[in-house]
Amino acid sequence: MLKYNFERLFKMKGISKPAIFLMEAGFPKDKAYRIINHKVSSFSPNQIEKLCAIFECTPNDLMEWTNDDKIKVSENHPLQKLLPAMPVDLRDIAKGVPIDKMEDFARRIEEIKKSFG
């Protein structure tokens, strides 16, 4: 079953106030709250493009797939790439970094960001 998983993206991007984030990106208040509360079943191509732009991701990153055994797919089927992944929350990772190493931590993250263009 395919579904949107914005919660994972919010955590990965360190977004603590998703409604405000979405409204600042131009989504109306009602749409922002429907997104957060998993009440949206579809998006227009323009909205998908906008979401990909603000999350810096592809449409695949907006969705996850759970194999509910209604559809049989092989282990190397492309849908397998959409299986739920553990969200990475940089705030949690940063909590384990000593203060005197925080500058180096930030510098390394910037280097990684630059390597992606």
Side-chain angles (χ1 to χ4, degrees):
M1 173 183 205
L2 280 172
K3 69 176 188 172
Y4 292 103
N5 186 357
F6 293 101
E7 194 172 307
R8 180 177 66 87
L9 291 170
F10 293 133
K11 283 183 181 180
M12 290 178 74
K13 292 291 189 173
I15 299 165
S16 59
K17 297 180 180 178
I20 293 171
F21 173 80
L22 291 169
M23 287 186 284
E24 287 177 351
F27 285 91
K29 184 178 181 177
D30 63 320
K31 183 78 167 190
Y33 279 98
R34 282 188 278 135
I35 290 170
I36 294 164
N37 294 310
H38 312 283
K39 302 289 184 196
V40 177
S41 60
S42 65
F43 291 94
S44 70
N46 287 341
Q47 291 171 325
I48 290 173
E49 183 178 19
K50 185 179 212 173
L51 288 163
C52 289
I54 64 173
F55 283 114
E56 297 182 55
C57 69
T58 69
N60 276 3
D61 298 317
L62 302 175
M63 303 192 87
E64 73 178 21
W65 174 71
T66 38
N67 188 352
D68 55 12
D69 292 325
K70 290 179 183 175
I71 299 173
K72 300 291 183 198
V73 298
S74 67
E75 286 185 27
N76 60 351
H77 191 281
L79 278 174
Q80 298 288 350
K81 294 177 185 175
L82 297 178
L83 285 170
M86 191 166 97
V88 177
D89 189 334
L90 282 179
R91 293 172 297 183
D92 289 339
I93 295 170
K95 286 178 188 174
V97 178
I99 294 292
D100 63 330
K101 301 293 182 188
M102 195 59 80
E103 193 173 309
D104 186 44
F105 177 71
R107 189 176 313 109
R108 289 182 187 194
I109 290 174
E110 285 300 320
E111 288 172 6
I112 292 168
K113 284 171 44 179
K114 287 178 186 174
S115 73
F116 291 107

